[in-house]
Amino acid sequence: MTPARVLVFGFAAVILLGALLLALPQATQDGLGLPFLNAVFTATSAVCVTGLVVVDTATTFTYFGQWVILLMIQVGGLGFMTFATLFAMILGKKITFKERLLLQEALNQVSVEGIVRLTKSVLQISFAIETMGALILTLRWYSDFGWSKALYYGIFHSISAFNNAGFDLFGNFSSLTAFVGDPIINITIMLLIILGGLGFIVLADLLTPQKKLRLHTKIVLQVSGALILFGAVFILIMEFANPKTLGPLPIGTKVLAAFFQSVTTRTAGFNTIDISNMYETTLLSMIVFMFIGASSGSTGGGIKTTTFIAIILSVLSTYRNNLHVVLKGRTIPREVIAKAWAITTSAIFLIFIVLSILSHSENSDLQTLLFEVTSAFGTVGLSLGITPHLSVAGKIAIALTMFIGRVGPLTLAFFLTQKRNKLSTQIKYPDERIMIG
């Protein structure tokens, strides 16, 4: 059982357990329980922190069902190995070397050095940010819902936002459209999404007093900031006069809504305007942002910002006939570039295959299906409204896409192909050129 296999089986086990709980009569308001396929889809969406739903969370589930979903979001966002480590530390058990290897794989680290300390930081940082977000949202919603409901909503949406899940409790698949002009809710949710999407390594780096930030941290901050800003400006320009989206809103609310939609494409899944009425050009740009996703070691999905910049730099180096990929005075190792290309090409092939399946099984246009598939792979949760109407084949395909998007295409590839005999990796065969291009 390699680390990759343990992670795949672990996530699958959490999904199965969650699905069984959601299928119980106590989980739904009609007392019948959720049909098993819908329960598996919902559990997959929660554990993979996606937010795509075939039934409305607020009107379908009881408090028990909603708490099950919230727990799956928390475990899925931080990783089941992180919680296993937490329980082991509470019980006073020693973290074995094998468990440290699993944590290394789960947190996408290059070595096991300091991995337990990092896990503790992940838990402390996450709970601190979620608590602060829940407090702000509770105080804001108190005047609308009263203390008990405001507290419940504050906790649920803070955890959902920080883990980039996109589940909400406002009913009728409306997400946060009722609060499009509310600066407190918009800014709080955006900050939670951004902090969750930066990655735990970046957050720990920013909170650790030291002279110099890591190169990884600098790149994540710069690329994430650039993508959010560019996305917001593009959405604002394209949708400024659209009578079904930003058109009727005051100028300040337009800017706020544009930034919110740009941030949420970074794998969060909330929305404050009806994205199904956006222009096709805007939706196409959102597909690109969803494909890129959040950053490595975060609660978000996609190919990741560092993968994206590594691909761009690799292409530029090829154009310039440079043998090495250089970033801020540092050479990026060949194996890192190779991994970036493997992740990206695997993601493209996956999306193409699932899109082909859905184009045959679903009665919808190609762009709507591409938006759905990319949202599932990037664990985003945004939809143009077709998720509740998916066929059986469509639900299975999207659920598998969410799962692969969460565990990572390379992790799944290692799970399927990793050999015990590593002798073949130590053999160097003679070079011979083939024609390219």
Side-chain angles (χ1 to χ4, degrees):
M1 288 293 289
T2 62
R5 287 171 179 162
V6 172
L7 288 179
V8 170
F9 281 127
F11 271 107
V14 175
I15 289 170
L16 179 60
L17 177 60
L20 293 173
L21 291 174
L22 292 179
L24 293 174
Q26 295 88 343
T28 56
Q29 295 185 15
D30 60 10
L32 300 175
L34 209 59
F36 189 67
L37 179 58
N38 287 349
V40 171
F41 188 98
T42 304
T44 304
S45 185
V47 173
C48 299
V49 289
T50 305
L52 290 173
V53 289
V54 290
V55 295
D56 185 67
T57 307
T59 56
T60 301
F61 297 104
T62 60
Y63 283 118
F64 171 76
Q66 291 170 6
W67 276 107
V68 169
I69 290 173
L70 191 63
L71 183 60
M72 286 191 290
I73 290 171
Q74 188 73 87
V75 173
L78 301 186
F80 74 94
M81 275 306 303
T82 304
F83 277 90
T85 304
L86 171 63
F87 290 126
M89 289 188 294
I90 291 174
L91 295 174
K93 292 185 177 180
K94 185 179 179 180
I95 309 301
T96 65
F97 183 71
K98 183 177 180 180
E99 290 165 343
R100 292 168 193 262
L101 288 174
L102 291 173
L103 286 170
Q104 177 192 349
E105 181 76 17
L107 295 174
N108 197 23
Q109 295 303 292
V110 295
S111 72
V112 296
E113 183 181 357
I115 198 68
V116 175
R117 184 170 62 252
L118 175 61
T119 304
K120 293 178 181 178
S121 298
V122 167
L123 292 166
Q124 292 169 352
I125 292 170
S126 301
F127 292 146
I129 293 174
E130 289 172 349
T131 301
M132 184 63 67
L135 179 61
I136 295 172
L137 292 175
T138 299
L139 293 174
R140 165 58 189 84
W141 279 325
Y142 159 67
S143 58
D144 295 334
F145 307 122
W147 280 117
S148 59
K149 190 173 183 179
L151 178 61
Y152 178 55
Y153 274 33
I155 294 172
F156 189 98
H157 292 92
S158 178
I159 293 175
S160 182
F162 178 74
N163 288 284
N164 284 212
F167 281 82
D168 71 273
L169 298 177
F170 293 102
N172 300 315
F173 304 99
S174 61
S175 192
L176 299 174
T177 52
F179 306 100
V180 61
D182 192 308
I184 296 176
I185 293 174
N186 276 261
I187 293 172
T188 301
I189 295 293
M190 280 194 288
L191 286 175
L192 287 168
I193 293 169
I194 291 170
L195 291 173
L198 288 177
F200 300 116
I201 299 298
V202 174
L203 294 177
D205 200 19
L206 291 172
L207 294 174
T208 302
Q210 55 186 13
K211 294 180 180 180
K212 192 176 181 181
L213 294 175
R214 302 180 188 184
L215 176 62
H216 173 81
T217 300
K218 293 178 182 178
I219 297 306
V220 166
L221 293 175
Q222 291 173 2
V223 176
S224 298
L227 289 173
I228 290 171
L229 181 60
F230 178 79
V233 172
F234 189 84
I235 292 172
L236 182 63
I237 293 173
M238 295 303 302
E239 299 293 320
F240 193 87
N242 188 339
K244 296 181 179 179
T245 55
L246 298 184
L249 303 175
I251 183 64
T253 305
K254 288 183 182 188
V255 174
L256 187 64
F259 267 97
F260 190 94
Q261 264 51 237
S262 177
V263 169
T264 198
T265 56
R266 310 300 311 291
T267 85
F270 291 104
N271 59 284
T272 56
I273 59 176
D274 186 0
I275 61 172
S276 64
N277 287 317
M278 284 181 163
Y279 294 131
E280 290 185 351
T281 307
T282 311
L283 293 175
L284 188 60
S285 70
M286 294 177 73
I287 289 172
V288 174
F289 289 129
M290 291 192 296
F291 181 76
I292 296 171
S295 300
S296 297
S298 72
T299 60
I303 63 169
K304 305 299 190 296
T305 53
T306 43
T307 304
F308 170 69
I309 198 65
I311 292 294
I312 296 297
L313 291 172
S314 174
V315 172
L316 291 176
S317 295
T318 302
Y319 289 162
R320 295 166 182 166
N321 202 26
N322 291 338
L323 294 177
H324 304 289
V325 177
V326 179
L327 178 61
K328 292 185 179 295
R330 295 289 186 272
T331 299
I332 307 300
R334 289 175 181 264
E335 59 268 24
V336 173
I337 301 299
K339 184 177 180 181
W341 277 109
I343 290 171
T344 305
T345 52
S346 299
I348 292 172
F349 276 118
L350 172 67
I351 291 173
F352 175 77
I353 292 169
V354 178
L355 180 62
S356 300
I357 295 172
L358 292 189
S359 64
H360 181 73
S361 66
E362 311 304 318
N363 184 23
S364 188
D365 63 275
L366 201 60
Q367 186 178 45
T368 300
L369 295 176
L370 178 60
F371 193 97
E372 189 85 3
V373 175
T374 309
S375 178
F377 167 74
T379 68
V380 180
L382 293 175
S383 175
L384 300 182
I386 68 169
T387 314
H389 310 293
L390 289 172
S391 64
V392 171
K395 290 177 183 177
I396 294 173
I398 291 296
L400 287 173
T401 306
M402 290 189 289
F403 183 77
I404 296 172
R406 182 65 185 96
V407 301
L410 278 194
T411 300
L412 189 67
F414 291 153
F415 167 78
L416 295 172
T417 64
Q418 202 166 38
K419 298 179 180 179
R420 293 182 181 179
N421 184 9
K422 296 183 179 180
L423 181 62
S424 60
T425 63
Q426 301 170 5
I427 299 175
K428 172 66 168 62
Y429 293 96
D431 293 338
E432 184 168 349
R433 293 184 179 275
I434 59 174
M435 289 183 287
I436 299 294

